Amino acid sequence: MTVTQLSTFVLVARLGSVGAAARTLNVSESAVSQALAALRTHFGDPLIRRTGGGMRLTPAGARLLPVASRMVALSADAEAAVRAARGAPDELRVVATSTLAEFVLPSLVEAFACRSGRRTETSFGVAAGNEIRVLVENRLADVALGPCLGAARRGELVSEPLFRTWLVVVIGAGSPRPPGPPPRWSWLVDSSGTDPDADSGRLLRRLGVAEGHVRVFPNQAATWAAAAEGAGVAPALAHLVSPRIRRDELRILETPATPSDATWHATVLQPEHRSPATDAFLRFLHTPAATRIMRAPGAGVPPSRFRPPVYVTLWGT
């Protein structure tokens, strides 16, 4: 029995599928299945069964889950203690929803590295709303940027508001208003449109947009480019899309559900479980410098000074 196997079991149990756990860990589904098979052999119990509605814990699996979660957390504490004793650089793992990762996160991490003066090994990745909660709770990420995650199990998480903006819908500047009600329009989204916890996903759900009226693009910029060409309408955060509106590429289209509030939050563990690097990054996120980057990400670091010292990866266990 290994910590990797226990971490995998916890993720499958919390996220509800082998595929979701594999995406979160950035490994293959077969690797996740192999880790589960090893645990099943060790304990002599299936632990998790596949059902029509997803995955269901066996009685033994239900008893193992909280114990496994504690063991994974203790393993993270042990690694941090050894790193500190060896004088190794601090470790900071940041995860964010797709829009923040596309526009804001790289500049934030770079500015923090330049200003903090700390020796920090920083990595960052992208995850959906339900995944980032699990990553932080189980010590696979230190800071999550995205929606407010609310109250967590046993009060383990703290979500702090960072930046308030507005969610709008944009269409090509020369395109006419689409015919019919919003649920019948052609909607252009990035992966956040498929995430029920993200602003775009909540908007589509509020408007009752069916899957057949949604097209998914690799990133937010691609959805705006398609909207500018007349392919449909796209959700957007007002302050991020404003340069394209000023260039007369796009215009805002009012809907019954927009504009609507969209506030970014930083989610971390309770203070007693946070690393010094996590606390330092959290303090930085509340500074005027960080706010300027979130308001205008392109102004975060002048190109002439951009020398990324940051090690960027999607992490596994």
Side-chain angles (χ1 to χ4, degrees):
M1 180 174 62
T2 67
V3 174
T4 297
Q5 293 164 1
L6 291 173
S7 297
T8 302
F9 165 72
V10 170
L11 286 177
V12 173
R14 298 291 194 207
L15 297 176
S17 76
V18 169
R23 288 191 301 273
T24 301
L25 293 170
N26 196 35
V27 300
S28 66
E29 291 190 24
S30 63
V32 172
S33 297
Q34 289 170 11
L36 286 179
L39 273 187
R40 286 164 169 159
T41 299
H42 179 83
F43 288 111
D45 188 272
L47 301 177
I48 301 179
R49 297 185 189 277
R50 194 181 303 274
T51 67
M55 310 290 284
R56 183 182 296 276
L57 291 169
T58 66
R63 291 196 175 194
L64 174 62
L65 181 57
V67 178
S69 296
R70 291 196 297 272
M71 293 175 72
V72 171
L74 287 172
S75 173
D77 290 342
E79 289 187 15
V82 171
R83 287 177 66 89
R86 289 172 44 232
D90 292 339
E91 185 178 36
L92 179 66
R93 300 160 300 175
V94 186
V95 66
T97 51
S98 60
T99 301
L100 276 91
E102 179 180 352
F103 290 97
V104 174
L105 186 53
S107 294
L108 279 176
V109 169
E110 166 66 8
F112 170 70
C114 292
R115 293 169 61 93
S116 68
R118 304 176 64 92
R119 294 174 58 235
T120 305
E121 291 182 358
T122 306
S123 57
F124 57 84
V126 185
N130 66 321
E131 296 169 349
I132 60 177
R133 172 190 289 280
V134 174
L135 286 168
V136 177
E137 284 182 337
N138 292 281
R139 313 294 181 88
L140 296 174
D142 302 301
V143 184
L145 302 181
C148 178
L149 299 184
R153 286 179 291 272
R154 301 183 302 279
E156 290 180 348
L157 301 186
V158 178
S159 282
E160 299 183 357
L162 294 177
F163 185 83
R164 185 180 184 184
T165 183
W166 297 95
L167 181 68
V168 297
V169 173
V170 295
I171 190 172
S175 300
R177 183 180 179 88
R184 296 185 178 276
W185 298 349
S186 178
W187 289 85
L188 317 173
V189 301
D190 67 349
S191 61
S192 66
T194 65
D195 179 2
D197 295 315
D199 295 318
S200 296
R202 287 197 298 267
L203 172 64
L204 297 185
R205 191 168 63 248
R206 285 180 61 191
L207 292 173
V209 179
E211 184 176 329
H213 291 274
V214 179
R215 293 172 56 195
V216 182
F217 288 74
N219 53 56
Q220 186 79 84
T223 70
W224 298 344
E229 293 172 357
V233 302
L237 294 176
H239 74 292
L240 295 180
V241 79
S242 60
R244 293 174 182 252
I245 294 174
R246 289 195 296 270
R247 292 196 298 267
D248 204 29
E249 298 173 8
L250 298 166
R251 63 184 174 88
I252 294 176
L253 184 66
E254 290 190 8
T255 76
T258 56
S260 60
D261 177 78
T263 301
W264 293 342
H265 289 75
T267 299
V268 293
L269 292 168
Q270 293 286 348
E272 62 270 21
H273 298 302
R274 299 199 295 254
S275 68
T278 301
D279 280 330
F281 187 62
L282 190 61
R283 288 194 297 272
F284 168 72
L285 291 174
H286 290 285
T287 63
T291 300
R292 284 195 296 272
I293 292 172
M294 287 184 276
R295 181 180 297 115
V301 179
S304 61
R305 288 177 40 221
F306 186 74
R307 298 290 185 275
V310 180
Y311 174 64
V312 180
T313 185
L314 288 177
W315 53 87
T317 54

